[in-house]
């Protein structure tokens, strides 16, 4: 769908009146005359052709977990898309979560953190999510609404209660500062429960129900083994949502991961926290952190085997590697769906004195508006990359005369060196333009000539459409 614009004839007349140079007029006309929306505006529900390749057509899902969705109409404008999601374990399971560090934490964050603390991460049955309203900055009433969502979900499971209160993780996403239509939501939770299932279609519909400005549902699944039980095939599934207001801290983003591997609550929390650092906390779309960010991990042990209890065990190490890689792949889908984005950019910072230094530099480059707009304009403006490297706060590893910057193509061809040991290269602009035409790109920054620590970040470019999407987000 093309964006509304003034006819070029009227614009030219306006520019002549303003006495703008021809070159300036062309720069202003071109974006307006060629701007095409690459995202599905809220309410359209269509997946852009370029994003369909990221939507799985099948999956391998963990035993003992079920998923479902239902239509509530949290936003009045949503008359046909499911906006309530439910993921449940057939038996009580271990649960862990990592939350936003924003001081204005949404009611579901507060309620879920308290619930997991009270239970010590055990006896968890479900995750319930609504999209369309974040239930953030809603005061005491918002807390009561989040509690009601959890309690209504609990009632669906029936049976004897264990005296520890709710066993449901609650999440919300959408507009900040508005109360939930809580009666509408709680009235549909039993409907979602009644439609729980284990098929790929159930999981995909549930992943779609947690979306807001996302253009496609983000769902992954995979199988793995553990050293102590090589004959047992375990499964890991995860869904996430997020397209804007994304920057690690936790970087509006929600994630639900489930596994049928047997993991005790304490190691489950440490496994998730470590995985988040190199996945969801290593992405940035716009440098904005949310009030609602939550990533939860559930483990029900339904596949059997020896429970993971010891952080020094081979099983723990294997699970950490599997979970971190999986979480990173899931987080990358968020970046690929960045609001208005046209590029997926890997930023690799190497030869730093510490991992923390490398990550701070990578993070600073990732959230630089000037770097991101240059990438959108396919401009090999490496000076902006270098500038962001230099102002990264709290970094002692940057030595200007030893720093090198390159573009690494995705076609396997040699890197294009832009700066070598502090000295600018004679850049082949034609090759640079060719590299920047691709959807995927890697920026490599070497902070020194000595071997050191490395950090990887994933980000995207800034386009005109980012402003369009966020300019009319509430309306």
């Amino acid at each position: 769908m093309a964006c509304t614009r003034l006819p070029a004839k009227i614009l030219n007349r306006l520019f002549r009146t303003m006495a703008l140079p021809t070159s300036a007029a062309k720069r202003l006309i071109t974006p307006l005359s060629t701007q095409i929306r690459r995202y599905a505006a809220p309410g359209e529900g269509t997946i852009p052709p370029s994003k369909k390749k990221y939507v799985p057509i099948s999956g391998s899902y963990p035993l003992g977990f079920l998923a479902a969705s239902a239509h509530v109409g949290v936003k009045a404008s949503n008359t046909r898309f499911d906006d309530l999601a439910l993921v449940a374990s057939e038996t009580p399971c271990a649960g862990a979560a990592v939350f936003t560090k924003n001081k204005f934490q949404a009611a579901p964050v507060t309620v879920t953190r308290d619930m997991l603390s009270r239970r010590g991460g055990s006896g968890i049955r479900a995750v319930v999510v609504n999209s369309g309203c974040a239930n953030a900055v809603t005061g005491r009433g918002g807390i009561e609404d989040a509690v009601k969502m959890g309690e209504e979900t609990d009632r669906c499971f029936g049976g004897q209660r264990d005296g520890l209160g709710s066993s449901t993780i609650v999440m919300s996403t959408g507009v900040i500062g508005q109360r939930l239509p809580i009666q509408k939501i709680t009235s549909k939770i039993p409907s979602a429960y009644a439609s729980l299932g284990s098929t790929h279609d159930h999981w995909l519909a549930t992943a779609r129900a947690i979306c807001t400005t996302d253009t496609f549902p983000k769902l992954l699944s995979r199988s793995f083994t553990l050293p102590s039980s090589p004959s047992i095939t375990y499964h890991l599934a995860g869904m996430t949502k997020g397209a804007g207001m994304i920057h690690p801290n936790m970087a509006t983003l929600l994630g639900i991961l489930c596994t049928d591997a047997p993991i005790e609550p304490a190691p489950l929390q440490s496994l998730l926290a470590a995985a988040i650092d190199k996945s969801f906390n290593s992405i940035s779309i716009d440098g904005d952190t949310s009030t609602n960010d939550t990533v939860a991990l559930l483990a029900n042990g339904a596949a059997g085997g020896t429970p993971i209890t010891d952080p020094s065990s081979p099983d723990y190490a294997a699970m950490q590697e599997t979970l971190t890689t999986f979480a990173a792949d899931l987080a990358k889908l968020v970046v690929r769906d960045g609001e208005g984005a046209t590029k997926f950019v890997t930023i690799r910072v190497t030869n730093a004195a510490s991992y923390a230094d490398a990550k701070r530099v990578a993070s600073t480059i990732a959230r630089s508006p000037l770097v991101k707009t240059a990438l959108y304009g396919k401009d090999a403006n490496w000076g902006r990359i270098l500038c962001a490297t230099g102002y990264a706060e709290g970094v002692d590893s940057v030595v200007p005369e030893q720093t090198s910057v390159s573009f690494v193509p995705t076609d396997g061809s040699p890197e294009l060196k832009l700066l070598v040991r502090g000295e600018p290269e004679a850049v082949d602009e034609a090759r640079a333009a060719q590299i920047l035409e691709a959807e995927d790109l890697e920026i490599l920054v070497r902070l020194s000539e000595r071997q050191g620590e490395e950090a990887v970040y994933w980000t995207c470019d800034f386009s005109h459409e980012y402003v369009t999407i966020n300019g009319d987000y509430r309306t």
Side-chain angles (χ1 to χ4, degrees):
M1 180 174 65
C3 293
T4 303
R5 61 181 184 271
L6 290 172
K9 185 184 297 183
I10 296 176
L11 286 169
N12 282 325
R13 188 180 303 127
L14 176 62
F15 294 141
R16 282 198 298 273
T17 302
M18 297 168 64
L20 280 175
T22 302
S23 59
K26 285 182 178 180
R27 285 198 300 272
L28 288 169
I29 291 173
T30 300
L32 289 168
S33 61
T34 60
Q35 184 178 347
I36 303 297
R37 285 196 181 195
R38 303 178 190 276
Y39 69 96
E44 291 179 0
T46 54
I47 299 175
S50 63
K51 303 296 179 67
K52 289 182 178 179
K53 59 188 175 185
Y54 301 119
V55 181
I57 58 175
S58 63
S60 178
Y61 298 102
L63 304 175
F65 280 102
L66 306 170
S69 64
H71 176 258
V72 175
V74 173
K75 292 182 74 171
S77 59
N78 176 18
T79 59
R80 57 196 179 103
F81 298 113
D82 286 1
D83 51 0
L84 179 69
L86 181 63
V87 176
S89 175
E90 293 181 326
T91 58
C93 67
V98 177
F99 303 98
T100 178
K101 295 180 181 177
N102 194 304
K103 290 182 173 61
F104 286 95
Q105 297 191 346
V109 171
T110 299
V111 169
T112 295
R113 179 188 286 110
D114 290 348
M115 183 273 291
L116 288 172
S117 176
R118 182 175 63 251
R119 288 187 157 274
S122 64
I124 309 304
R125 290 304 301 269
V127 181
V128 63
V129 190
N130 77 271
S131 62
C133 178
N135 191 12
V137 198
T138 46
R140 189 173 302 170
I143 295 290
E144 294 171 354
D145 290 344
V147 169
K148 288 177 182 177
M149 284 180 65
E151 290 178 341
E152 184 60 41
T153 305
D154 296 333
R155 274 192 281 272
C156 293
F157 293 96
Q160 292 289 327
R161 305 296 290 273
D162 59 11
L164 295 176
S166 179
S167 59
T168 298
I169 291 171
V170 180
M171 301 181 186
S172 297
T173 182
V175 178
I176 294 171
Q178 297 180 3
R179 288 285 298 275
L180 291 173
I182 190 61
Q183 296 302 325
K184 291 174 66 176
I185 292 174
T186 54
S187 69
K188 288 299 182 73
I189 288 176
S191 300
Y193 178 82
S195 63
L196 284 168
S198 59
T199 70
H200 172 70
D201 287 344
H202 283 93
W203 283 89
L204 188 62
T206 305
R208 175 66 184 85
I210 67 175
C211 293
T212 50
T213 58
D214 307 60
T215 68
F216 67 93
K218 300 164 186 65
L219 174 69
L220 289 178
S221 63
R222 97 186 19 160
S223 302
F224 63 97
T225 60
L226 294 173
S228 68
S229 308
S231 62
I232 299 178
T233 299
Y234 295 107
H235 308 87
L236 180 60
M239 63 183 72
T240 187
K241 64 82 52 185
M245 215 176 187
I246 302 293
H247 185 73
N249 198 17
M250 251 276 305
T252 276
L253 182 147
L254 302 178
I256 306 167
L257 286 70
C258 302
T259 182
D260 51 20
I263 311 172
E264 293 298 307
L268 191 70
Q269 181 66 47
S270 61
L271 283 165
L272 178 62
I276 291 296
D277 188 51
K278 294 187 177 181
S279 58
F280 288 101
N281 267 356
S282 291
I283 61 174
S284 184
I285 287 175
D286 49 18
D288 236 325
T289 64
S290 171
T291 55
N292 290 58
D293 298 335
T294 304
V295 175
L297 172 62
L298 304 182
N300 65 7
T306 304
I308 296 176
T309 59
D310 183 3
S312 64
S313 69
D315 277 2
Y316 185 97
M319 189 70 223
Q320 185 69 82
E321 182 178 357
T322 296
L323 182 62
T324 301
T325 301
F326 181 82
D329 289 343
L330 199 57
K332 290 175 190 177
L333 293 179
V334 175
V335 177
R336 289 195 179 279
D337 200 20
E339 290 173 341
T342 67
K343 295 192 181 304
F344 177 85
V345 185
T346 299
I347 300 173
R348 189 179 306 275
V349 177
T350 67
N351 298 349
S354 66
Y355 173 74
D357 274 7
K359 190 170 183 180
R360 287 191 189 103
V361 171
S363 171
T364 305
I365 296 170
R367 69 175 184 267
S368 165
L370 291 180
V371 171
K372 294 160 81 68
T373 50
L375 291 170
Y376 174 66
K378 302 170 186 176
D379 179 8
N381 194 337
W382 57 266
R384 294 181 176 181
I385 300 169
L386 199 66
C387 181
T389 300
Y391 67 66
E393 295 183 0
V395 175
D396 299 322
S397 299
V398 178
V399 182
E401 58 270 20
Q402 294 184 21
T403 301
S404 299
V405 178
S406 298
F407 285 157
V408 180
T410 56
D411 60 6
S413 60
E415 64 184 90
L416 177 63
K417 296 180 179 180
L418 308 170
L419 182 80
V420 177
R421 293 186 294 278
E423 295 291 332
E425 294 288 287
V427 178
D428 183 341
E429 294 291 346
R431 182 156 183 257
Q434 184 180 27
I435 292 172
L436 289 169
E437 281 289 335
E439 179 182 348
D440 287 25
L441 167 72
E442 179 177 318
I443 296 173
L444 174 61
V445 179
R446 298 181 180 91
L447 296 184
S448 70
E449 292 299 300
R450 64 183 183 279
Q451 291 297 311
E453 296 296 320
E454 174 179 305
V456 179
Y457 234 77
W458 298 281
T459 190
C460 57
D461 56 348
F462 260 163
S463 71
H464 307 285
E465 287 160 4
Y466 178 83
V467 177
T468 301
I469 294 168
N470 285 283
D472 61 13
Y473 181 70
R474 289 204 310 157
T475 55

